[in-house]
């Protein structure tokens, strides 16, 4: 592990811990949605910036692993968003992942870290930190979109009662 990947790994770990802690407990889904979107977008932005900075050394294996990582992130984000619990309390919408969502997130992280390991063994230059950041950001953003859609449907259903 080079000195450059250590800060990336620490950022990814810190974001994962913070987001999981927040999403496992009941949180209000605010009307502005910025709280739900901000972290994933920042994570993706930093990852894309770092990938762009290194894009000249990108090979076929790098592209394949990035595509597989993105697909896994989108599938896991959709699945964890679908199993998330959404409740309406006193006119406000609250959500949490719960244990099924945690299981999906843990499985996603194991698969994603496995892809990074395979990439390292195959000599891919993009399988580490930046790719992990983009993948994790895409996962959390997808999860957020699914949860917000679920909350909107619940709010519409609640208003028609």
């Amino acid at each position: 592990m080079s000195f450059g990947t250590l800060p990336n790994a620490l950022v990814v770990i810190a974001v994962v811990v913070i987001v999981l802690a927040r999403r496992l407990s009941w949180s209000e889904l605010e009307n502005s949605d910025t709280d739900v979107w901000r972290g994933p977008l920042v994570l993706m932005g930093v990852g894309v910036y770092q990938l762009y900075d290194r894009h000249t050394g990108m090979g076929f294996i790098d592209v394949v692993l990035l595509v597989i990582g993105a697909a896994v992130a989108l599938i896991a984000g959709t699945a964890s968003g679908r199993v998330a619990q959404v409740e309406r309390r006193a006119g406000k919408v609250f959500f949490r992942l719960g244990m099924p969502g945690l299981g999906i997130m843990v499985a996603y992280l194991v698969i994603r870290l496995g892809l990074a390991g395979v990439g390292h063994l195959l000599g891919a230059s993009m399988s580490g930190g930046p790719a992990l950041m983009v993948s994790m950001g895409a996962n959390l953003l997808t999860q957020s979109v699914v949860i917000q859609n679920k909350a909107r449907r619940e709010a519409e259903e609640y208003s028609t009662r």
Side-chain angles (χ1 to χ4, degrees):
M1 180 182 294
S2 71
F3 181 70
T5 58
L6 183 61
N8 287 341
L10 293 175
V11 167
V12 169
I13 290 169
V15 168
V16 167
V17 168
I18 291 168
V19 168
L20 281 178
R22 291 190 73 201
R23 292 190 179 196
L24 285 174
S25 60
W26 288 103
S27 300
E28 182 180 351
L29 188 63
E30 305 212 9
N31 291 335
S32 67
D33 301 330
T34 56
D35 193 37
V36 177
W37 293 64
R38 188 180 314 131
L41 286 176
V42 168
L43 192 61
M44 284 179 66
V46 170
V48 166
Y49 175 77
Q50 289 182 353
L51 281 175
Y52 179 76
D53 198 34
R54 301 179 189 175
H55 78 283
T56 55
M58 196 178 232
F60 178 74
I61 293 173
D62 294 306
V63 173
V64 168
L65 289 173
L66 284 171
V67 169
I68 292 171
V72 170
L74 296 176
I75 291 167
T78 301
S80 59
R82 284 189 174 184
V83 300
Q85 299 168 325
V86 177
E87 286 186 4
R88 189 160 193 82
R89 300 179 193 160
K92 296 181 180 182
V93 178
F94 290 83
F95 75 98
R96 74 173 181 177
L97 283 184
M99 290 316 231
L102 176 62
I104 292 168
M105 288 296 292
V106 168
Y108 159 71
L109 291 171
V110 167
I111 292 168
R112 188 59 193 93
L113 291 174
L115 280 174
V118 168
H120 181 71
L121 291 174
L122 295 175
S125 61
M126 301 287 180
S127 65
L132 285 169
M133 285 186 187
V134 172
S135 178
M136 179 57 73
N139 173 275
L140 295 173
L141 191 59
T142 304
Q143 188 184 103
S144 296
V145 168
V146 172
I147 289 171
Q148 287 177 322
N149 286 334
K150 193 175 193 178
R152 284 191 183 102
R153 280 193 309 270
E154 175 132 339
E156 288 172 6
E157 183 180 304
Y158 181 79
S159 66
T160 60
R161 290 183 192 167

